[in-house]
């Protein structure tokens, strides 16, 4: 059955069911359809508070009335979300940690499971937005993880995180389902509602200002049967990111040690590849300049043809435009130790590293040089568009229905990803690095090389790798609910969802090679390995290192003007060679249905409510990729039956016990579904060829949850939640096979020019390649608990009765799963009176692994622990006007990626503090 047929059947059945009793409905909301109810009063009736405290009270109301384990964040006021970034808000919820890029949240981890395992819905419909980042921060997002930094938080007025599931909730998540809700006109009173805000930000590292604007206009007629709303948000942000990085660590065979040629020299064995003494692969200081512009628009039209029908048409558009300039002064020790002499090496025996030394560095045989000034420039655009139609209908007092149809598309384009290299000329003596006084910020001296003199460098190489990622969902769903009696409600429904993913990448340097002198139309001076550097292709780095805490380093150096250098050699006129590993697609069609019984009953004198049900879904997958230059498409399908049970015991009026059990599933990672593969040409030999597997089964797990919640006051909560997941099919690598490159069947042109594998093949070698394929592996388990406490301190004497606290702690444990912090906490101390609102928030997460150690116990990768401290405040000048002040990253927390079990520095960058002054108006 093709897509159009399935889509048409589901749409037809759903619409017929809704209109057969007449086109009349009433808006109706539940945990499993949070996009709907405009009439719900989210504020506790007995609580009259405003601002941040009101936001907490409304969120507590959502949690208390939910059937499962749910947490929420609610806007403080009209178009006023508590944080500037959605991910920053989500980290305030217990069990949620975030990953940052360029100083702001990008993706989330929920209860130890990363972004690929968490499903995001916008206005009730699944969505996926992606963007790009530097290579060390994950590069282009080609997975299922949602990039929250593509949106302004002002576009949304509520977030809900469902940590347990029900049959009525669509499948696809092991961690949580996150619902993002935009404003609708029936959320507000009749008449005209308007709000706006303007802020100006200042960053103390970039010393740049950044404007932010947001506004909302809503109208509802006096009869309450028609409304329209429009909101917009805009921001323009400039951020500097500075620091030191190594691109990991390795051992190697140097040309000589202490004046004696290797391998015969007496000191060579102390730091060769058998010694396991590591040195940084590419020690470098660098500056990244992020220019980011966001525009977001939402629109909503709601009408009630009769008092039994509500129709909602919602649209969301977001555009994220950015550029990123990366500038590094570096030495490529990686795979080039044969061109380097070492004298006076000092070994740190506590971490088995070459802590310091003096080096003589010669040009490579191919004309490049290990000492380089590298600059990379990226243009990044994400266009996100979503439209949903939601119809709620009450056929009778006992029978209700809901119909949802929608489409969403995210288009990420990285049309320019150009890298220019200026290489040192001739032999450089006296280069030194020394980690003894700073393990994250070593002293580095370039010896005989003047890094500010263009005549000592040549323009030698380039790269350009344009790429794109496209994701889209088409969804149609219909549900019916029937009240069997006052305590039992039977519901059921069908849904069809089509997801399409595609990604492309081309490499211009793979067409004629990356050497500038080898390009058509480029003539280098006789005997030169590159073009001379002139003023028009220069853009020097100056004033580097503010707040870095480094000494004995260069604060200025020559750096390429990427646009001018690319134009000089005609980069963008060179046709790009297709990068097979990143040119692929996946299409999934999911046809599902569910039946669920919601109930309220008594167990003795204890009220019990909950739901029990089962969901069935068939998934058909079409995966396309490239194998040795040939496009291959593979089809397969699988099915899942997913029972679930949620119980809430109201032990007293204020103490609840919730229990949940369910079978859950998450579909395989998109990168693993390709029938093609990806070759790592830089780390080896043996080099690694990772092949995908379109026959993979989904992640399947059994989830068990228990929550103990004491609502000791109308705004107070003390809660303990415990969780356990047994994953039946966790992915591992199958047994690998090592063969010479000539036996892999891969074309010799596949490795990028100037990569170590390319150089070995061009020199006549046949290096070993390790071939591995993803396969469904053994089981894994994950368990943990959350503690949450929330309370306004109204019991204290004035003025302390205006203070309050919200905090949580999460512990997660797993022997098999990576990517989570074992310990994490969030804490907010706030003050709220009639005019002044202020709060300070801290978010901590432990160090965590992203790659496990190898068989020798080395090469582990991960992130160090972080603590982020933020402040926000507002003062009410009139009933309509507030002035605001916010401070982000008060301690200028560094991002530190670490390598090896010795926690060696991989990335150590900071982005400075950001201060925002603003005004907010509402009518």
């Amino acid at each position: 059955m093709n897509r159009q047929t399935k889509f048409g059947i589901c749409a037809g059945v759903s619409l017929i069911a809704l209109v057969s009793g007449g086109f009349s409905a009433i808006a109706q909301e539940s945990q499993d359809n949070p996009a709907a109810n405009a009439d719900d009063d989210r504020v506790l009736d007995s609580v009259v508070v405003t601002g941040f405290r009101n936001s907490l009270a409304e969120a507590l109301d959502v949690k208390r009335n939910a059937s499962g384990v749910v947490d929420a964040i609610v806007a403080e006021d009209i178009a006023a979300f508590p944080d500037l970034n959605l991910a920053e808000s989500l980290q305030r919820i217990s069990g949620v940690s975030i990953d940052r890029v360029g100083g702001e949240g990008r993706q989330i981890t929920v209860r130890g499971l990363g972004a690929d395992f968490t499903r995001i819905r916008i206005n009730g419909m699944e969505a996926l937005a992606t963007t790009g980042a530097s290579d060390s921060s994950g590069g282009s997002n080609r997975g299922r993880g949602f990039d929250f930094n593509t949106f302004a938080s002002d576009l949304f007025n509520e977030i809900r995180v469902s940590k347990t599931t029900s049959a009525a909730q669509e499948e696809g998540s092991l961690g949580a389902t996150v619902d993002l809700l935009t404003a609708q006109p029936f959320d507000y009173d009749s008449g005209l509602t308007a709000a706006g805000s303007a802020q100006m930000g200042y960053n103390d590292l970039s010393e740049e200002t950044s404007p932010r604007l947001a506004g909302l206009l809503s109208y509802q007629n006096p009869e309450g049967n028609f409304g329209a709303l429009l909101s917009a948000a805009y921001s323009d942000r400039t951020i500097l990111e500075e620091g030191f990085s190594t691109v990991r660590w390795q051992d190697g065979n140097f040309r000589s040690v202490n004046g004696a040629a290797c391998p015969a020299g007496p000191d060579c064995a102390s730091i060769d590849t058998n010694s396991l003494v590591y040195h940084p692969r590419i020690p470098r200081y660098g500056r990244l300049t992020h220019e980011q512009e966001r525009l977001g628009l939402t629109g909503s039209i709601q009408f009630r043809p009769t008092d039994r029908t509500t129709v909602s048409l919602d649209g969301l558009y977001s555009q994220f435009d950015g550029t990123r300039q990366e500038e590094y002064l570096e030495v490529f020790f990686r795979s080039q130790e044969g061109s380097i002499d070492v004298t006076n090496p000092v070994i740190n025996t506590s971490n088995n590293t070459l802590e310091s030394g003096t080096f003589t560095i010669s040009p490579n045989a191919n004309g490049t040089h290990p000492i380089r000034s590298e600059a990379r420039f990226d243009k990044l655009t994400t266009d996100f568009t979503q439209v949903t139609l939601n119809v709620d209908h009450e056929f009778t007092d006992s029978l209700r229905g809901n119909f949802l149809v929608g489409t969403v598309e995210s288009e990420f384009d990285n049309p320019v990803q150009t890298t220019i290299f200026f290489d040192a000329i001739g032999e450089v003596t006296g280069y030194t690095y020394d980690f003894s006084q700073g393990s994250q910020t070593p002293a580095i001296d370039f010896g005989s090389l003047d890094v500010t003199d263009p005549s000592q460098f040549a323009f030698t190489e380039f790269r350009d790798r344009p790429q794109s990622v496209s994701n889209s969902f088409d969804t149609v769903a219909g549900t019916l609910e029937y009240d069997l009696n006052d305590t039992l409600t039977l519901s059921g429904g069908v849904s069809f969802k089509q997801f399409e993913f595609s990604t492309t990448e081309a490499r211009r340097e793979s067409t004629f090679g990356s050497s500038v002198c080898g390009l058509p139309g480029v003539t280098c001076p006789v005997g030169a390995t590159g073009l001379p550097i002139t003023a028009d292709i220069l853009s020097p780095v100056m004033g580097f290192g503010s707040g870095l805490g480094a000494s004995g380093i260069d604060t200025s150096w020559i750096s390429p003007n990427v646009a001018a250098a690319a134009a000089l050699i005609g980069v963008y006129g060179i046709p790009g060679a297709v990068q097979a590993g990143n040119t692929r697609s996946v299409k999934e069609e999911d046809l599902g249905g569910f039946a669920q019984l919601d109930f309220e009953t008594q167990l003795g004198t204890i009220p019990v409510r909950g739901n029990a049900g089962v969901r069935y879904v068939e998934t058909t997958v079409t995966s396309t990729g490239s194998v040795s230059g040939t496009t291959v498409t593979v089809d397969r399908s699988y099915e899942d039956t997913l029972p679930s049970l949620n119980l809430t015991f109201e032990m007293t009026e204020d103490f609840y016990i919730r229990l949940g059990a369910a079978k859950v599933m998450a579909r395989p990672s998109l990168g693993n579904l390709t029938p093609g593969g990806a070759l790592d040409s830089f780390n080896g030999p043996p080099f690694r060829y990772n092949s995908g597997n379109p026959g993979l089964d989904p992640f399947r797990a059994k989830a068990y949850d228990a929550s103990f919640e004491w609502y000791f006051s109308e705004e107070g909560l003390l809660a303990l939640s415990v969780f356990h997941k047994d994953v039946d099919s966790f992915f591992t690598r199958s047994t690998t096979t090592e063969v010479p490159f000539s036996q892999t069947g891969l074309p010799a042109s596949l490795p990028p020019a100037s990569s170590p594998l390319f150089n070995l093949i061009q020199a006549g070698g046949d290096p070993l390649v390790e071939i591995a394929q993803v396969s469904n592996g053994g089981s894994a388990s994950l368990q943990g608990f959350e503690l949450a406490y929330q309370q306004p301190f109204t019991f204290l004497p004035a003025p302390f009765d205006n203070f309050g606290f919200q905090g949580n702690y999460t512990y997660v444990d797993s022997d098999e799963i990576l990517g989570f912090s074992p310990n994490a906490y969030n804490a907010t101390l706030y003050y709220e009176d009639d005019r002044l609102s202020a709060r300070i928030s801290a978010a901590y997460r432990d160090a965590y692994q992203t790659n496990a150690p190898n068989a020798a116990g080395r090469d582990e990768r991960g992130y160090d622990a972080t603590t982020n401290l933020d402040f926000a405040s507002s003062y009410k000048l009139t009933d309509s006007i507030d002035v605001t002040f916010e401070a982000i990253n008060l301690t200028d927390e560094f991002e530190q990626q670490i390598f090896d079990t010795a926690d060696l520095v991989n990335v150590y960058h900071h982005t400075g503090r950001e201060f925002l002054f603003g005004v907010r108006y509402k009518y």
Side-chain angles (χ1 to χ4, degrees):
M1 186 182 296
N2 62 31
R3 170 200 172 192
Q4 289 78 9
T5 303
K6 291 180 179 178
F7 197 96
I9 289 175
C10 286
V13 170
S14 302
L15 281 171
I16 289 170
L18 286 170
V19 303
S20 60
F23 191 73
S24 57
I26 186 169
Q28 181 265 336
E29 175 177 275
S30 69
Q31 172 194 353
D32 303 305
N33 182 24
N37 196 352
D39 287 333
D40 264 2
D41 184 1
R42 294 190 178 102
V43 183
L44 291 167
D45 294 335
S46 57
V47 179
V48 182
V49 292
T50 60
F52 182 70
R53 181 178 165 188
N54 178 60
S55 170
L56 296 180
E58 293 185 18
L60 199 64
D61 194 28
V62 172
K63 180 178 182 68
R64 186 169 188 165
N65 293 325
S67 297
V69 180
V70 175
D71 288 291
I73 300 169
V74 179
E76 297 180 40
D77 208 334
I78 303 169
F81 213 70
D83 294 278
L84 302 179
N85 174 279
L86 290 173
E88 305 283 345
S89 286
L90 281 164
Q91 72 175 340
R92 314 294 178 204
I93 289 177
S94 60
V96 179
S97 297
I98 70 173
D99 299 324
R100 288 180 172 83
V101 171
E104 64 178 0
R106 181 183 185 185
Q107 294 189 342
I108 65 173
T109 297
V110 183
R111 289 183 164 183
L113 292 167
D116 272 7
F117 299 99
T118 299
R119 198 165 59 94
I120 310 300
R121 300 192 300 189
I122 300 177
N123 294 328
M125 179 183 171
E126 186 167 359
L128 176 59
T130 65
T131 186
S134 64
D135 289 343
S136 64
S137 297
S140 296
N141 180 359
R142 294 182 171 93
R144 297 185 188 267
F146 193 97
D147 287 336
F148 288 91
N149 57 338
T150 57
F151 293 104
S153 63
D154 308 272
L155 299 174
F156 301 91
N157 65 356
E158 186 174 332
I159 300 177
R160 295 191 185 185
V161 179
S162 301
K163 300 173 184 176
T164 57
T165 191
S166 66
Q169 194 173 80
E170 289 181 3
E171 75 294 332
S173 168
L174 295 190
T177 295
V178 178
D179 282 291
L180 309 178
L181 306 179
T182 61
Q184 295 178 310
F186 288 172
D187 293 341
Y188 306 110
D189 296 333
S190 63
L192 186 66
T193 299
S197 64
Q199 290 179 299
M200 183 62 71
Y202 173 79
N203 184 277
D204 68 350
L205 182 60
S206 69
E207 299 182 347
E208 296 278 353
T209 56
S210 302
R212 292 175 59 94
L213 301 170
L216 178 145
L217 187 65
S218 179
Y219 171 76
Q220 183 181 162
N221 66 357
E223 294 76 20
N225 57 20
F226 174 80
L229 177 147
L230 179 67
S231 74
Y234 172 82
S235 66
D236 189 353
R237 180 173 182 257
T238 300
I239 292 294
L240 283 192
E241 179 181 346
E242 291 189 346
F244 176 74
S245 59
T246 63
V247 198
R248 304 187 297 280
W249 295 62
Q250 67 179 37
D251 47 29
N253 296 318
F254 289 94
R255 184 170 57 192
S256 72
V257 178
N258 288 329
C262 294
D267 297 324
C268 294
S270 65
I271 57 173
D272 67 7
T273 52
N274 295 316
S275 69
L276 296 181
V277 172
Y278 279 12
H279 58 264
R281 298 169 80 240
I282 310 177
R284 61 186 188 178
Y285 281 96
R287 170 184 288 171
L288 290 75
T289 304
H290 303 264
E291 299 277 357
Q292 299 171 344
E293 191 174 14
R294 292 184 183 87
L295 173 65
L297 301 170
T298 75
S300 179
I301 297 174
Q302 290 184 291
F303 63 97
R304 296 186 177 106
T306 74
D307 60 358
R308 288 181 174 270
T309 299
T310 297
V311 179
S312 302
L313 178 65
D314 296 284
L316 169 63
Y317 173 77
S318 177
Q319 184 179 72
F320 177 64
D321 282 331
T323 64
R324 185 180 62 255
Q325 175 88 10
E326 305 178 41
E327 298 169 290
Y328 302 102
L329 183 61
E330 60 200 9
V331 177
F332 272 64
F333 283 87
R334 181 196 71 193
S335 304
Q336 298 178 34
E337 293 90 346
S339 299
I340 301 173
D341 303 314
V342 188
T343 56
N344 303 318
V346 176
I347 298 173
N348 185 333
T349 56
S350 67
N351 59 20
N352 220 39
T353 63
L354 182 56
E355 183 175 71
S356 65
T358 301
F359 306 86
T360 296
I361 305 175
S362 302
N364 296 310
N366 66 356
T368 63
H369 199 288
I371 298 179
R372 326 188 88 171
S373 174
E374 174 185 347
R376 170 175 153 179
F377 182 76
D378 284 70
K379 286 185 178 180
L380 314 162
T381 299
T382 297
D383 284 308
F384 181 93
T385 307
Q386 176 177 308
V387 178
T388 56
L389 174 66
N390 201 309
V391 182
D392 287 280
H393 175 60
E394 187 175 279
F395 296 103
T396 68
D397 291 342
S398 300
L399 180 63
R400 297 170 298 280
N402 170 265
F403 171 71
L404 171 70
V405 62
T407 183
V408 58
E409 184 175 50
S410 172
E411 295 284 349
F412 166 65
D413 192 21
N414 189 179
V416 176
Q417 190 191 94
T418 308
T419 304
I420 301 294
F421 294 99
F422 289 173
D423 284 6
I425 298 173
E427 187 168 85
V428 175
T429 61
Y431 170 86
T432 64
Y433 74 69
D434 185 357
F435 286 86
S436 63
Q437 301 302 311
S439 59
Q440 290 87 26
T441 53
I444 293 181
D445 191 307
F446 281 82
S448 63
L449 179 68
D450 182 354
V451 297
T452 64
D453 182 3
S455 69
Q456 298 188 36
F457 289 81
F459 176 13
T460 58
E461 283 196 300
F462 83 100
R463 289 199 300 255
D464 186 56
R465 299 175 176 181
Q467 51 199 272
S468 66
V469 180
S470 175
N471 297 282
S472 67
F473 284 93
D474 291 319
T475 300
V476 59
T479 63
L480 291 173
E481 291 185 1
Y482 180 69
D483 296 328
L484 299 173
N485 53 44
D486 291 340
T487 61
L488 295 176
T489 298
L490 181 65
S491 61
V494 295
S495 63
F496 172 76
K497 178 175 60 183
Q498 177 174 285
F499 169 64
E500 293 189 48
F501 157 84
S502 64
T503 181
T504 64
E505 181 178 334
R507 296 191 173 183
R508 301 187 198 276
E509 72 272 17
S510 295
T511 303
F512 301 116
S514 63
S515 173
V516 168
C517 296
L519 295 178
V522 175
T523 302
C524 292
V526 177
T529 58
L531 292 172
I533 296 173
T534 54
D536 58 332
I537 61 170
L538 269 179
S539 179
V541 171
M542 303 180 69
F544 175 82
S546 174
L548 188 57
S551 59
I553 66 170
D554 290 286
T555 59
S556 301
W557 65 85
I558 69 162
S559 181
N561 179 324
V562 174
L568 177 65
I569 61 174
V571 167
Y572 305 118
I574 300 172
V578 173
Q579 176 67 10
N582 284 329
T583 302
R584 47 190 165 85
S585 65
V586 174
K587 182 171 75 172
E588 292 174 343
E589 294 184 345
D590 313 322
L591 181 62
F594 78 94
Q596 179 173 298
L597 181 68
D598 289 76
F599 53 84
E600 295 181 8
T601 185
Q602 295 276 132
L603 183 62
T605 60
I606 300 173
V608 181
R609 56 185 169 88
N611 56 64
V614 62
R615 185 171 195 88
Y616 174 80
V617 60
E618 296 178 354
T619 303
T620 301
V621 185
T622 302
S623 303
T624 301
S626 180
V627 179
S628 300
T630 301
T631 299
V632 176
T633 297
V634 177
D635 295 318
R636 72 150 308 188
S637 62
Y638 51 86
E639 55 192 44
D640 288 273
T641 301
L642 306 169
S644 61
L645 173 67
N646 292 285
L647 299 171
T648 300
F649 299 86
E650 299 184 10
M651 308 302 292
T652 68
E653 184 178 351
D654 300 321
F655 182 64
Y656 295 179
I657 296 177
R658 302 185 197 270
L659 301 176
K663 285 187 175 181
V664 293
M665 61 87 81
R667 295 181 174 90
S669 300
L670 295 172
N672 291 335
L673 287 175
T674 178
L679 177 65
D680 181 353
S681 303
F682 291 90
N683 299 291
F687 298 91
R688 191 175 183 91
Y689 181 76
N690 293 323
S691 175
N693 183 355
L696 287 172
D697 289 328
F699 297 92
R700 294 186 173 104
K702 300 180 182 69
Y704 306 96
D705 294 85
S707 182
F708 306 89
E709 303 166 7
W710 179 27
Y711 298 88
F712 54 85
S713 68
E714 286 189 286
E715 297 177 68
L717 169 69
L718 182 63
L720 168 66
S721 299
V722 296
F723 54 89
H724 178 86
K725 297 183 190 293
D726 284 321
V727 186
D728 297 328
S729 53
F730 205 74
F731 298 152
T732 61
R733 296 283 179 183
S734 61
T735 303
T736 58
T737 303
E738 284 190 8
V739 297
F741 183 87
S742 60
Q743 296 180 21
T744 63
L746 301 172
S749 60
L750 181 60
S754 80
S755 68
L757 177 55
F758 177 87
N759 292 337
L760 288 172
I761 294 173
Q762 292 301 305
D766 195 12
L768 289 175
V769 175
E770 183 181 75
I771 299 175
Q773 186 181 51
V774 182
S775 63
N776 285 108
S779 61
S781 65
L782 180 145
Q783 50 278 323
F785 66 87
E786 302 167 353
L787 285 171
Y789 167 61
Q790 174 179 324
Q791 184 179 19
F793 297 155
T794 53
F795 56 88
L796 294 177
F800 304 104
D801 58 341
N802 290 320
F803 284 91
F805 179 83
Q806 179 198 35
N808 58 74
Y809 165 79
T810 302
Y811 172 78
V812 182
D813 176 65
S814 176
D815 292 332
E816 304 90 0
I817 297 174
L818 304 177
F820 66 86
S821 297
N823 299 280
Y825 68 78
N826 299 281
T828 298
L829 179 67
Y830 66 87
Y831 176 89
E832 195 100 31
D833 64 25
D834 292 341
R835 291 191 176 274
L836 177 64
S837 174
R839 65 183 181 275
I840 188 165
S841 301
Y844 168 84
R845 67 177 301 180
D846 266 352
Y848 61 97
Q849 284 185 343
T850 55
N851 292 77
N854 60 20
R858 308 283 315 255
D859 297 1
E860 171 189 352
R861 299 187 212 172
Y863 286 76
D864 204 1
T866 58
T867 302
N868 285 80
L869 198 63
D870 301 325
F871 174 80
S873 63
S874 65
Y875 183 79
K876 186 178 294 295
L877 295 177
T878 70
D879 288 343
S880 299
I881 301 175
D882 294 357
V883 291
T884 63
F885 170 70
E886 299 180 53
I888 311 300
N889 192 19
L890 279 168
T891 61
D892 190 14
E893 183 75 356
F894 278 66
E895 174 199 334
Q896 183 172 351
Q897 297 179 32
I898 48 183
F899 182 78
D900 196 58
T901 51
D903 290 347
L904 307 175
V905 61
N906 190 19
V907 173
Y908 185 71
H909 285 183
H910 73 134
T911 55
R913 303 167 184 85
E914 194 164 0
F915 305 94
L916 296 105
F917 303 84
V919 61
R920 192 163 59 223
Y921 170 83
K922 67 176 181 180
Y923 171 80

